[in-house]
Amino acid sequence: MEPLTTRLIAGAALLAVLILGGWISTGLTTEQASQTAATLALEVAPEQARSQELAKPASYIETPAYYRTELEATLALLELQVDVDALVERLMQPNTFYNPITRSAPVVQKSGESRTDGPLELTVVREDLRVQRSGLENTSAHTLIRLHNHAQVPLAYHVVARSHDGGDCKMRAVTQYDALVLEPDEQARISICSGSHDVEIVDLRFMEVSEIGARWIRQVPTKAFGLDDIAVRGHKPSKHVPPCSQVPVKESAEQLSKGEAQWEDMVDFYSRHDCNFYRRPASYKRILSPLLELPAKG
């Protein structure tokens, strides 16, 4: 007997048993019986079934044991001598978060003025910068803000600022700086507009993170954090890390633009999770109390 005929007969017999059992135990309806038959008729080739299983995330990845194994591997790769137990405990604790300036209460600063919020100092400065446009290069005055991290730990940050008088900023220079994280004592010079202007700081948020957390954040593409095009173009990490290709950049940016997630929710998750293995659950919010385990489940 041909193998195909044998499989068809066996399948028909199994279908009969399932239908009879269904009638007896659950009162299977005619419609349900048809659906069962249709399901059995869809034979999946073994190689296809295997590839489907491999495409599914391994449940072991979601265990504390796997998390710790990958953390230890990363620390070894970076040649970081760290107490792993203490680090895991630190990563389960809430991060110190600051949001001193909000869109509902923006702040205006003049050139030369500084303000300090927690460990972050923000100063408005005027500098002469070289600008290249249409193949021509010239030097012109620009208004910038300078951020300085005075903390002993890295700061992930997000700042939105603009010219207060609405001046023409078409000749805005693109300065290079780490647009995601500032290391201890590191500074960022961010161009706001050509010419001399007062600066309106619309939003300022920053978060203290661990050394490994700073690295994990830098792996995430900048657009996933809702940065504008100028910031994306100017972003130059102070420490090189290979970016993750699995982060759903468009989806993350849309969640931020719709208010379904906040910048601090995104940063808080990726300060604890390597995006090569973990994707932020849509339900994850910045934690306010210690986690019971890592990885976080949302």
Side-chain angles (χ1 to χ4, degrees):
M1 186 178 293
E2 295 295 328
L4 177 59
T5 305
T6 302
R7 290 206 306 271
L8 289 175
I9 293 175
L14 176 61
L15 175 60
V17 171
L18 287 174
I19 293 177
L20 180 59
W23 275 108
I24 295 174
S25 62
T26 61
L28 190 67
T29 65
T30 303
E31 181 181 356
Q32 290 171 327
S34 299
Q35 292 174 347
T36 302
T39 301
L40 288 173
L42 297 175
E43 181 178 339
V44 179
E47 61 273 12
Q48 182 180 353
R50 181 176 182 274
S51 64
Q52 289 175 350
E53 285 301 313
L54 290 175
K56 296 179 181 178
S59 58
Y60 182 52
I61 292 179
E62 303 300 327
T63 67
Y66 183 87
Y67 180 94
R68 184 185 178 95
T69 297
E70 287 302 330
L71 177 59
E72 290 174 342
T74 300
L75 295 173
L77 178 65
L78 301 177
E79 298 183 344
L80 294 176
Q81 301 298 319
V82 178
D83 183 324
V84 180
D85 290 329
L87 178 56
V88 172
E89 179 62 28
R90 160 66 182 89
L91 292 172
M92 290 195 294
Q93 299 300 316
N95 291 319
T96 302
F97 171 64
Y98 304 81
N99 188 192
I101 301 176
T102 63
R103 293 182 180 275
S104 60
V107 172
V108 177
Q109 282 188 219
K110 298 180 180 297
S111 180
E113 290 184 344
S114 296
R115 64 174 287 141
T116 300
D117 296 288
L120 186 67
E121 179 185 15
L122 187 153
T123 306
V124 176
V125 297
R126 180 184 176 278
E127 296 182 8
D128 290 336
L129 299 178
R130 290 183 179 181
V131 180
Q132 189 172 34
R133 189 177 185 184
S134 301
L136 300 176
E137 184 177 284
N138 60 25
T139 301
S140 60
H142 273 72
T143 299
L144 304 89
I145 57 175
R146 185 176 63 228
L147 298 174
H148 188 178
N149 176 16
H150 291 286
Q152 296 182 350
V153 296
L155 290 180
Y157 73 97
H158 176 67
V159 60
V160 178
R162 61 195 178 197
S163 167
H164 179 53
D165 58 15
D168 183 5
C169 297
K170 293 181 180 179
M171 290 293 290
R172 177 181 176 185
V174 178
T175 53
Q176 292 192 321
Y177 60 98
D178 192 322
L180 297 178
V181 182
L182 293 179
E183 294 294 325
D185 202 36
E186 186 179 4
Q187 298 185 32
R189 295 164 56 255
I190 306 172
S191 174
I192 301 301
C193 190
S194 56
S196 182
H197 305 270
D198 294 343
V199 173
E200 182 179 25
I201 305 160
V202 180
D203 194 7
L204 178 62
R205 307 173 190 221
F206 53 100
M207 182 181 293
E208 297 180 7
V209 298
S210 65
E211 183 178 357
I212 192 68
R215 177 183 175 83
W216 285 339
I217 291 168
R218 287 191 177 101
Q219 292 181 152
V220 181
T222 50
K223 286 190 175 182
F225 291 117
L227 273 64
D228 62 27
D229 290 339
I230 294 292
V232 171
R233 288 166 57 194
H235 178 56
K236 185 179 181 181
S238 54
K239 294 186 177 181
H240 174 72
V241 293
C244 291
S245 59
Q246 298 90 345
V247 177
V249 174
K250 183 178 180 180
E251 179 183 322
S252 298
E254 287 179 350
Q255 289 177 347
L256 291 172
S257 65
K258 294 177 181 179
E260 297 172 353
Q262 301 297 321
W263 172 87
E264 54 269 26
D265 300 328
M266 302 284 294
V267 170
D268 193 74
F269 180 82
Y270 289 114
S271 73
R272 310 173 194 282
H273 301 83
D274 186 335
C275 55
N276 287 299
F277 305 101
Y278 303 102
R279 173 175 171 174
R280 174 186 167 272
S283 60
Y284 185 92
K285 303 296 181 183
R286 176 176 68 91
I287 68 169
L288 302 178
S289 57
L291 294 168
L292 298 178
E293 65 179 21
L294 284 167
K297 301 301 188 294

